[in-house]
Amino acid sequence: MKNKYLNYINGKWVKARSGKTLDSINPANHDEIIGSVPSSSEEDVDDAARAANEAFKSWRLVPPPRRGEILFRAAELLKKHKESLGEIVCREMGKVLPEALGDVQEAIDMAYYMAGEGRRLSGETVPSELPDKDAKSVRVPVGVFGLITPWNFPIAIPSWKIFPALIAGNTVVFKPSSDTPVCATKFVEVLIEAGIPKGVLNLVHGEGSRVGSAIVKHPDIQAISFTGSSATGIQLETVCGSLHKPISSETGGKNPIIVMEDADLNLAVEGAVWGGFGTTGQRCTAASRVIVHQAVHDRFVKQFKEEASRLRIGDGLKKTTQVGPVINRSQYEKILAYIDIGKKEGAELILGGKPYRKGECARGSFIEPTIFIKVKPEMRIAREEIFGPVVSVLKVKNLEEAIQAANQVDYGLSSAIYTRNVNDSAIAERDLDTGIVYINASTIGAEIQLPFGGTKKTGFGPREAGGRGGALDNYTKWKVIYRDFSGKLQKAQIDKE
Ligand code: UN1
């Protein structure tokens, strides 16, 4: 018997109007169906958008500290359900259990953080240039937000969007990835238990091409936040542009680790292995390039290959596993195609490069950790996002060349430098053109209290996470209020005496 999950619209669990469903499968074992969910269409999005629009009328008036109490309860409940949520993340998305628990933890952190924002949400109070008049700016909600999320952080990324949207007084139509719909449903169940009123949070499952585009075009949905591929991001940005609809998108990355000649090599190798092969390379922040100073290149490569070759591949639920499967068949094909491209471009494959089919792994989509050396900056494997366990190593002469190679891509999410030289670290911090820079730490593992996002084709619009300068700017708009209590007509800029 397969578990059947539903949409959540206007406070009720409902099927798609068409009655159609989609199956979600375990990437570690394609025979295991995690559950079926509605395959929704425009009419389901319409129901959700209407409900969200109606609920906005009262939710916007709930004092933010009261909204914060609901988020605080959500945090406590997420803590309580952490193990079971982690397990479902592991089974449906494939990441290893400790990372799956980290995914849930990121949502817990975000819930507490945004709960606190309920008592801050501050604007400015400034003096007026005229007597008996005051002036202030306040943050107001935008309205109904369409939130479209990916499969690689199936709990964390929805939390980055849903919690700031709700604390600010918006209502939501949430469309999770069709690869991880059960995680999203379990997450929404917890939020309902925390007391989110009906219509405030609506969940609509289905294919991105259908449901995602219906959300973006719906006239009752005032703004969009999207995380996913660059190609889809650009498509959605184009549609939103033509509709004059704000969108923030967080898309690709091609994140470099620079290893200088004076680096702690053991630490750099550990960072490269964790950043390159953690989450099977399926993070936007994954360290898919390592740029190594020629003086330590050969030693680094030898050690990196040794460490990576020891990684244990398998089902993420097994305690010994370090690298899980890749999400689905089409990503599997895409990653293998990139490995082929790398070989044809003349890079040297020194590790992996093949599907991994030992024992039970034959039933899932597993690929060996793969390392290419002699990669040149202009090669496609050095420029394009692969989103799998494939790392390209580039050799450089000095810091200047390293930074140039690091910046020579269309993306700019995160970057890292391993060095003991304080001046080199300062130069890297200044010149690396990415939204996040790590010094002596890998490219993954951003914390929620600071803005997350990047430069160039990595993103568009305000950043995710963080408070001011990040998520709050995305989910609120400014209103400025002047109050004149002089009882007479006063003219700004003109009444100078
Ligand atoms: C992503 O891959 O889209 O910084 C998000 C990190 C995680 C989030 C990654 N906290 O690696």
Side-chain angles (χ1 to χ4, degrees):
M1 254 295 282
K2 81 182 159 194
N3 289 320
K4 291 201 168 87
Y5 298 92
L6 298 168
N7 287 338
Y8 186 70
I9 298 177
N10 206 17
K12 289 201 187 70
W13 292 101
V14 292
K15 293 183 184 166
R17 279 183 184 253
S18 68
K20 288 191 187 145
T21 61
L22 283 172
D23 284 344
S24 168
I25 61 166
N26 179 344
N29 174 5
H30 292 174
D31 300 334
E32 189 196 343
I33 295 175
I34 307 291
S36 79
V37 296
S39 176
S40 312
S41 55
E42 291 73 6
E43 44 197 8
D44 305 297
V45 170
D46 192 48
D47 290 342
R50 279 169 201 267
N53 211 18
E54 189 53 36
F56 180 64
K57 292 180 191 156
S58 46
W59 183 244
R60 64 181 270 270
L61 300 176
V62 174
R66 297 280 92 79
R67 294 182 210 135
E69 284 163 18
I70 299 179
L71 295 199
F72 189 86
R73 273 202 298 281
E76 300 279 292
L77 287 167
L78 287 168
K79 250 167 79 176
K80 185 172 138 201
H81 297 297
K82 183 172 171 182
E83 296 292 320
S84 64
L85 285 166
E87 194 189 310
I88 193 72
V89 169
C90 182
R91 285 175 54 221
E92 192 176 43
M93 183 276 163
K95 64 176 75 175
V96 296
L97 193 56
E99 288 188 30
L101 293 169
D103 198 316
V104 182
Q105 185 59 46
E106 205 160 330
I108 297 170
D109 297 342
M110 189 53 119
Y112 281 127
Y113 182 58
M114 283 298 153
E117 283 300 336
R119 286 190 184 265
R120 281 185 292 266
L121 278 182
S122 50
E124 271 188 310
T125 308
V126 291
S128 162
E129 65 187 49
L130 291 161
D132 297 331
K133 185 180 172 190
D134 52 29
K136 65 181 176 186
S137 61
V138 293
R139 290 180 183 273
V140 293
V142 177
V144 179
F145 252 90
L147 306 180
I148 305 174
T149 60
W151 46 263
N152 70 332
F153 276 81
I155 305 284
I157 293 181
S159 84
W160 293 4
K161 299 186 194 294
I162 292 172
F163 294 144
L166 295 184
I167 199 69
N170 304 285
T171 56
V172 165
V173 176
F174 167 37
K175 188 254 175 266
S177 163
S178 52
D179 281 307
T180 49
V182 177
C183 291
T185 312
K186 298 280 179 194
F187 183 52
V188 167
E189 279 172 14
V190 172
L191 305 191
I192 296 167
E193 196 184 337
I196 291 175
K198 85 170 185 176
V200 169
L201 172 63
N202 302 276
L203 168 70
V204 185
H205 289 292
E207 298 287 0
S209 52
R210 183 120 201 211
V211 179
S213 71
I215 287 178
V216 167
K217 289 183 193 139
H218 200 287
D220 281 348
I221 297 180
Q222 275 88 28
I224 304 294
S225 175
F226 166 80
T227 300
S229 74
S230 292
T232 308
I234 289 170
Q235 249 176 37
L236 300 185
E237 288 154 18
T238 308
V239 176
C240 284
S242 68
L243 296 171
H244 197 69
K245 191 176 283 198
I247 177 168
S248 68
S249 61
E250 201 270 295
T251 57
K254 192 72 191 174
N255 316 290
I257 291 182
I258 295 175
V259 182
M260 293 303 292
E261 77 270 45
D262 63 341
D264 175 336
L265 223 52
N266 294 334
L267 195 64
V269 166
E270 261 186 304
V273 170
W274 171 230
F277 304 116
T279 331
T280 322
Q282 301 172 112
R283 292 197 193 207
C284 331
T285 50
S288 49
R289 296 184 293 156
V290 187
I291 300 171
V292 191
H293 192 286
Q294 59 185 12
V296 289
H297 176 271
D298 294 356
R299 267 201 298 146
F300 173 86
V301 166
K302 182 166 175 282
Q303 221 175 311
F304 182 38
K305 178 184 166 179
E306 256 166 41
E307 294 296 326
S309 66
R310 279 200 215 111
L311 291 170
R312 288 179 300 268
I313 309 171
D315 187 329
L317 278 179
K318 275 203 190 137
K319 279 218 162 56
T320 51
T321 303
Q322 291 164 297
V323 178
V326 301
I327 187 71
N328 58 31
R329 202 71 210 174
S330 79
Q331 279 299 118
Y332 174 86
E333 303 292 349
K334 178 182 154 193
I335 296 162
L336 293 175
Y338 266 111
I339 292 173
D340 244 22
I341 291 170
K343 288 191 217 158
K344 287 196 184 114
E345 286 180 310
E348 185 180 328
L349 179 73
I350 58 159
L351 185 72
K354 295 187 302 299
Y356 182 84
R357 294 209 184 90
K358 270 199 200 129
E360 290 173 358
C361 290
R363 286 191 270 161
S365 36
F366 292 87
I367 296 179
E368 293 172 350
T370 296
I371 301 176
F372 280 105
I373 59 168
K374 300 192 182 151
V375 178
K376 300 278 168 258
E378 55 284 356
M379 292 180 181
R380 285 182 64 192
I381 56 164
R383 286 187 291 117
E384 296 175 20
E385 187 179 48
I386 300 176
F387 225 65
V390 182
V391 177
S392 295
V393 180
L394 291 82
K395 182 156 73 173
V396 289
K397 287 197 204 63
N398 51 35
L399 180 63
E400 199 186 338
E401 205 185 300
I403 291 176
Q404 197 191 342
N407 288 343
Q408 208 177 332
V409 290
D410 285 341
Y411 298 110
L413 181 51
S414 107
S415 58
I417 182 165
Y418 282 86
T419 179
R420 289 186 175 106
N421 181 322
V422 67
N423 293 356
D424 283 356
S425 84
I427 291 168
E429 179 183 318
R430 185 191 63 196
D431 291 345
L432 284 167
D433 185 13
T434 54
I436 306 167
V437 177
Y438 289 92
I439 316 285
N440 291 327
S442 192
T443 57
I444 67 178
E447 301 177 29
I448 57 96
Q449 65 276 27
L450 283 162
F452 180 91
T455 60
K456 300 186 262 184
K457 283 194 187 152
T458 284
F460 186 81
R463 298 276 161 97
E464 297 260 52
R468 283 144 205 87
L472 290 184
D473 292 345
N474 200 5
Y475 294 99
T476 58
K477 54 187 181 189
W478 287 113
K479 181 180 275 186
V480 169
I481 296 148
Y482 298 104
R483 179 172 48 185
D484 191 320
F485 49 98
S486 68
K488 56 184 186 215
L489 174 67
Q490 300 201 84
K491 296 178 187 145
Q493 292 92 37
I494 294 168
D495 294 352
K496 299 287 283 179
E497 302 312 317

PDB file of all heavy atoms in Angstrom, residues 256 258 402-403 406-407 415-417 427-435 437-438:
ATOM      1  N   PRO A 256      34.567  27.826  -5.979  1.00  0.00           N
ATOM      2  CA  PRO A 256      35.961  27.405  -5.903  1.00  0.00           C
ATOM      3  C   PRO A 256      36.521  27.387  -4.484  1.00  0.00           C
ATOM      4  O   PRO A 256      36.169  28.211  -3.649  1.00  0.00           O
ATOM      5  CB  PRO A 256      36.656  28.506  -6.709  1.00  0.00           C
ATOM      6  CG  PRO A 256      35.840  29.729  -6.416  1.00  0.00           C
ATOM      7  CD  PRO A 256      34.421  29.273  -6.177  1.00  0.00           C
ATOM      8  N   ILE A 258      40.316  27.859  -3.099  1.00  0.00           N
ATOM      9  CA  ILE A 258      41.703  28.159  -3.468  1.00  0.00           C
ATOM     10  C   ILE A 258      42.607  27.567  -2.387  1.00  0.00           C
ATOM     11  O   ILE A 258      42.363  27.760  -1.190  1.00  0.00           O
ATOM     12  CB  ILE A 258      41.929  29.690  -3.568  1.00  0.00           C
ATOM     13  CG1 ILE A 258      41.082  30.269  -4.715  1.00  0.00           C
ATOM     14  CG2 ILE A 258      43.404  30.016  -3.748  1.00  0.00           C
ATOM     15  CD1 ILE A 258      41.135  31.795  -4.811  1.00  0.00           C
ATOM     16  N   ALA A 402      44.913  32.730  -9.212  1.00  0.00           N
ATOM     17  CA  ALA A 402      43.870  31.933  -8.539  1.00  0.00           C
ATOM     18  C   ALA A 402      42.560  32.712  -8.474  1.00  0.00           C
ATOM     19  O   ALA A 402      41.488  32.183  -8.775  1.00  0.00           O
ATOM     20  CB  ALA A 402      44.335  31.557  -7.128  1.00  0.00           C
ATOM     21  N   ILE A 403      42.665  33.970  -8.106  1.00  0.00           N
ATOM     22  CA  ILE A 403      41.442  34.780  -7.971  1.00  0.00           C
ATOM     23  C   ILE A 403      40.812  35.008  -9.344  1.00  0.00           C
ATOM     24  O   ILE A 403      39.591  34.954  -9.511  1.00  0.00           O
ATOM     25  CB  ILE A 403      41.739  36.103  -7.237  1.00  0.00           C
ATOM     26  CG1 ILE A 403      42.073  35.784  -5.774  1.00  0.00           C
ATOM     27  CG2 ILE A 403      40.553  37.063  -7.322  1.00  0.00           C
ATOM     28  CD1 ILE A 403      42.474  36.958  -4.927  1.00  0.00           C
ATOM     29  N   ALA A 406      39.085  31.897 -10.228  1.00  0.00           N
ATOM     30  CA  ALA A 406      37.892  31.749  -9.378  1.00  0.00           C
ATOM     31  C   ALA A 406      36.738  32.592  -9.911  1.00  0.00           C
ATOM     32  O   ALA A 406      35.585  32.144  -9.957  1.00  0.00           O
ATOM     33  CB  ALA A 406      38.228  32.154  -7.943  1.00  0.00           C
ATOM     34  N   ASN A 407      37.066  33.812 -10.350  1.00  0.00           N
ATOM     35  CA  ASN A 407      36.009  34.746 -10.781  1.00  0.00           C
ATOM     36  C   ASN A 407      35.585  34.548 -12.231  1.00  0.00           C
ATOM     37  O   ASN A 407      34.609  35.161 -12.676  1.00  0.00           O
ATOM     38  CB  ASN A 407      36.492  36.192 -10.612  1.00  0.00           C
ATOM     39  CG  ASN A 407      36.549  36.594  -9.144  1.00  0.00           C
ATOM     40  OD1 ASN A 407      35.947  35.946  -8.282  1.00  0.00           O
ATOM     41  ND2 ASN A 407      37.282  37.651  -8.850  1.00  0.00           N
ATOM     42  N   SER A 415      32.797  30.959  -2.107  1.00  0.00           N
ATOM     43  CA  SER A 415      34.189  30.667  -2.457  1.00  0.00           C
ATOM     44  C   SER A 415      34.961  30.494  -1.155  1.00  0.00           C
ATOM     45  O   SER A 415      34.470  30.883  -0.090  1.00  0.00           O
ATOM     46  CB  SER A 415      34.791  31.815  -3.277  1.00  0.00           C
ATOM     47  OG  SER A 415      34.705  33.013  -2.544  1.00  0.00           O
ATOM     48  N   ALA A 416      36.155  29.894  -1.274  1.00  0.00           N
ATOM     49  CA  ALA A 416      36.954  29.662  -0.067  1.00  0.00           C
ATOM     50  C   ALA A 416      38.432  29.790  -0.402  1.00  0.00           C
ATOM     51  O   ALA A 416      38.837  29.556  -1.544  1.00  0.00           O
ATOM     52  CB  ALA A 416      36.675  28.260   0.478  1.00  0.00           C
ATOM     53  N   ILE A 417      39.214  30.180   0.612  1.00  0.00           N
ATOM     54  CA  ILE A 417      40.673  30.158   0.450  1.00  0.00           C
ATOM     55  C   ILE A 417      41.288  29.521   1.694  1.00  0.00           C
ATOM     56  O   ILE A 417      40.871  29.817   2.826  1.00  0.00           O
ATOM     57  CB  ILE A 417      41.254  31.572   0.201  1.00  0.00           C
ATOM     58  CG1 ILE A 417      42.778  31.477  -0.015  1.00  0.00           C
ATOM     59  CG2 ILE A 417      40.921  32.554   1.312  1.00  0.00           C
ATOM     60  CD1 ILE A 417      43.416  32.720  -0.614  1.00  0.00           C
ATOM     61  N   ILE A 427      43.182  39.867   0.747  1.00  0.00           N
ATOM     62  CA  ILE A 427      43.022  40.156  -0.689  1.00  0.00           C
ATOM     63  C   ILE A 427      41.910  39.277  -1.270  1.00  0.00           C
ATOM     64  O   ILE A 427      41.050  39.746  -2.034  1.00  0.00           O
ATOM     65  CB  ILE A 427      44.368  39.949  -1.436  1.00  0.00           C
ATOM     66  CG1 ILE A 427      45.359  41.041  -0.991  1.00  0.00           C
ATOM     67  CG2 ILE A 427      44.179  39.983  -2.953  1.00  0.00           C
ATOM     68  CD1 ILE A 427      46.788  40.791  -1.407  1.00  0.00           C
ATOM     69  N   ALA A 428      41.906  38.012  -0.878  1.00  0.00           N
ATOM     70  CA  ALA A 428      40.871  37.094  -1.375  1.00  0.00           C
ATOM     71  C   ALA A 428      39.496  37.568  -0.923  1.00  0.00           C
ATOM     72  O   ALA A 428      38.540  37.616  -1.708  1.00  0.00           O
ATOM     73  CB  ALA A 428      41.146  35.682  -0.867  1.00  0.00           C
ATOM     74  N   GLU A 429      39.409  37.954   0.343  1.00  0.00           N
ATOM     75  CA  GLU A 429      38.143  38.428   0.901  1.00  0.00           C
ATOM     76  C   GLU A 429      37.622  39.629   0.106  1.00  0.00           C
ATOM     77  O   GLU A 429      36.442  39.743  -0.182  1.00  0.00           O
ATOM     78  CB  GLU A 429      38.426  38.806   2.361  1.00  0.00           C
ATOM     79  CG  GLU A 429      37.278  39.331   3.135  1.00  0.00           C
ATOM     80  CD  GLU A 429      37.723  39.747   4.551  1.00  0.00           C
ATOM     81  OE1 GLU A 429      38.517  39.032   5.188  1.00  0.00           O
ATOM     82  OE2 GLU A 429      37.269  40.810   4.997  1.00  0.00           O
ATOM     83  N   ARG A 430      38.561  40.479  -0.307  1.00  0.00           N
ATOM     84  CA  ARG A 430      38.161  41.675  -1.050  1.00  0.00           C
ATOM     85  C   ARG A 430      37.824  41.374  -2.506  1.00  0.00           C
ATOM     86  O   ARG A 430      36.877  41.909  -3.063  1.00  0.00           O
ATOM     87  CB  ARG A 430      39.319  42.696  -0.988  1.00  0.00           C
ATOM     88  CG  ARG A 430      38.987  44.039  -1.615  1.00  0.00           C
ATOM     89  CD  ARG A 430      40.238  44.897  -1.765  1.00  0.00           C
ATOM     90  NE  ARG A 430      41.213  44.277  -2.660  1.00  0.00           N
ATOM     91  CZ  ARG A 430      42.501  44.640  -2.740  1.00  0.00           C
ATOM     92  NH1 ARG A 430      42.964  45.589  -1.968  1.00  0.00           N
ATOM     93  NH2 ARG A 430      43.306  44.030  -3.584  1.00  0.00           N
ATOM     94  N   ASP A 431      38.599  40.486  -3.133  1.00  0.00           N
ATOM     95  CA  ASP A 431      38.510  40.362  -4.591  1.00  0.00           C
ATOM     96  C   ASP A 431      37.677  39.188  -5.104  1.00  0.00           C
ATOM     97  O   ASP A 431      37.355  39.149  -6.295  1.00  0.00           O
ATOM     98  CB  ASP A 431      39.921  40.275  -5.197  1.00  0.00           C
ATOM     99  CG  ASP A 431      40.653  41.601  -5.055  1.00  0.00           C
ATOM    100  OD1 ASP A 431      39.977  42.616  -4.764  1.00  0.00           O
ATOM    101  OD2 ASP A 431      41.887  41.625  -5.201  1.00  0.00           O
ATOM    102  N   LEU A 432      37.378  38.219  -4.268  1.00  0.00           N
ATOM    103  CA  LEU A 432      36.548  37.107  -4.759  1.00  0.00           C
ATOM    104  C   LEU A 432      35.119  37.627  -4.967  1.00  0.00           C
ATOM    105  O   LEU A 432      34.512  38.175  -4.035  1.00  0.00           O
ATOM    106  CB  LEU A 432      36.568  35.934  -3.769  1.00  0.00           C
ATOM    107  CG  LEU A 432      37.859  35.122  -3.798  1.00  0.00           C
ATOM    108  CD1 LEU A 432      37.945  34.184  -2.595  1.00  0.00           C
ATOM    109  CD2 LEU A 432      37.993  34.325  -5.106  1.00  0.00           C
ATOM    110  N   ASP A 433      34.619  37.463  -6.176  1.00  0.00           N
ATOM    111  CA  ASP A 433      33.313  38.053  -6.510  1.00  0.00           C
ATOM    112  C   ASP A 433      32.198  37.044  -6.245  1.00  0.00           C
ATOM    113  O   ASP A 433      31.587  36.504  -7.161  1.00  0.00           O
ATOM    114  CB  ASP A 433      33.337  38.482  -7.990  1.00  0.00           C
ATOM    115  CG  ASP A 433      32.061  39.200  -8.377  1.00  0.00           C
ATOM    116  OD1 ASP A 433      31.294  39.578  -7.476  1.00  0.00           O
ATOM    117  OD2 ASP A 433      31.830  39.375  -9.596  1.00  0.00           O
ATOM    118  N   THR A 434      31.964  36.774  -4.961  1.00  0.00           N
ATOM    119  CA  THR A 434      30.913  35.828  -4.584  1.00  0.00           C
ATOM    120  C   THR A 434      30.136  36.415  -3.394  1.00  0.00           C
ATOM    121  O   THR A 434      30.660  37.278  -2.683  1.00  0.00           O
ATOM    122  CB  THR A 434      31.513  34.462  -4.159  1.00  0.00           C
ATOM    123  OG1 THR A 434      32.480  34.681  -3.122  1.00  0.00           O
ATOM    124  CG2 THR A 434      32.174  33.752  -5.323  1.00  0.00           C
ATOM    125  N   GLY A 435      28.932  35.923  -3.190  1.00  0.00           N
ATOM    126  CA  GLY A 435      28.114  36.426  -2.085  1.00  0.00           C
ATOM    127  C   GLY A 435      28.621  35.972  -0.729  1.00  0.00           C
ATOM    128  O   GLY A 435      28.330  36.589   0.291  1.00  0.00           O
ATOM    129  N   VAL A 437      32.200  34.321   1.255  1.00  0.00           N
ATOM    130  CA  VAL A 437      33.624  33.947   1.164  1.00  0.00           C
ATOM    131  C   VAL A 437      34.013  33.258   2.474  1.00  0.00           C
ATOM    132  O   VAL A 437      33.712  33.764   3.563  1.00  0.00           O
ATOM    133  CB  VAL A 437      34.524  35.189   0.957  1.00  0.00           C
ATOM    134  CG1 VAL A 437      35.997  34.802   0.949  1.00  0.00           C
ATOM    135  CG2 VAL A 437      34.176  35.915  -0.345  1.00  0.00           C
ATOM    136  N   TYR A 438      34.644  32.125   2.369  1.00  0.00           N
ATOM    137  CA  TYR A 438      35.126  31.411   3.558  1.00  0.00           C
ATOM    138  C   TYR A 438      36.654  31.481   3.612  1.00  0.00           C
ATOM    139  O   TYR A 438      37.314  31.316   2.587  1.00  0.00           O
ATOM    140  CB  TYR A 438      34.740  29.931   3.486  1.00  0.00           C
ATOM    141  CG  TYR A 438      33.263  29.655   3.667  1.00  0.00           C
ATOM    142  CD1 TYR A 438      32.414  29.586   2.571  1.00  0.00           C
ATOM    143  CD2 TYR A 438      32.735  29.417   4.936  1.00  0.00           C
ATOM    144  CE1 TYR A 438      31.060  29.304   2.732  1.00  0.00           C
ATOM    145  CE2 TYR A 438      31.386  29.137   5.109  1.00  0.00           C
ATOM    146  CZ  TYR A 438      30.556  29.079   4.005  1.00  0.00           C
ATOM    147  OH  TYR A 438      29.225  28.796   4.170  1.00  0.00           O
TER     148      TYR A 438
END
